[in-house]
Amino acid sequence: ANFSERVVESFPSDLSGVYCGWACVGNGDVHKMVLSIGWNPFYKNIKKSVETHIIHTFKDDFYGEILSIVITGYIRSEKNFRSSEALISAIQEDIEEAKRQLDLPEHLKLKEDNFFHLPEGKTVNH
């Protein structure tokens, strides 16, 4: 799930790397996630992007839904890769590291934060 340019521009300009945390689509369940913030050097992006990988399989797509995230931990700095296979391997390692970190008590407690529970009929404009 990628954030719009407007949302990306609201992130601190010096923030980049791979992070973990919690994500919620709409008023659904809260799931573990990995977040990449940066320019994706392997793809030679010229614009900064914020890409969320929710560690959950959804039965339907969720285009147009509100995506709420809480970043709770740092995994690694942004880096380039020699091949798509190396990139895929790093992503898989990032997912495993996120799962490990997010099972720690200091991260687990944030899964239940009121931030994820919007009052019925309310939306967040960020």
Side-chain angles (χ1 to χ4, degrees):
N2 298 344
F3 284 100
S4 70
E5 281 185 41
R6 183 175 61 88
V7 172
V8 173
E9 290 168 359
S10 71
F11 275 69
S13 60
D14 61 344
L15 191 65
S16 70
V18 178
Y19 299 83
C20 63
W22 301 101
C24 179
V25 176
N27 275 326
D29 293 334
V30 178
H31 301 285
K32 294 175 180 179
M33 65 94 182
V34 176
L35 187 76
S36 171
I37 303 172
W39 291 266
N40 298 321
F42 183 76
Y43 293 106
K44 299 175 177 51
N45 288 3
I46 57 171
K47 289 193 177 215
K48 188 175 192 178
S49 66
V50 177
E51 300 174 350
T52 309
H53 173 78
I54 301 172
I55 305 171
H56 176 75
T57 302
F58 291 88
K59 56 183 177 178
D60 297 310
D61 67 42
F62 48 85
Y63 290 103
E65 291 284 341
I66 293 173
L67 174 62
S68 303
I69 65 167
V70 171
I71 299 170
T72 64
Y74 176 79
I75 295 178
R76 64 173 172 84
S77 63
E78 183 177 44
K79 61 184 177 183
N80 202 350
F81 296 92
R82 292 177 184 240
S83 66
S84 59
E85 292 80 13
L87 171 61
I88 290 167
S89 177
I91 291 169
Q92 290 168 338
E93 291 171 16
D94 295 340
I95 291 169
E96 292 308 311
E97 177 61 17
K99 288 177 182 178
R100 187 191 69 71
Q101 283 191 34
L102 293 167
D103 282 338
L104 297 172
E106 61 268 29
H107 294 275
L108 269 175
K109 68 182 179 185
L110 294 167
K111 180 180 181 182
E112 305 303 325
D113 194 273
N114 285 336
F115 170 78
F116 290 116
H117 306 289
L118 298 174
E120 207 57 42
K122 300 285 184 188
T123 60
V124 177
N125 295 318
H126 290 323

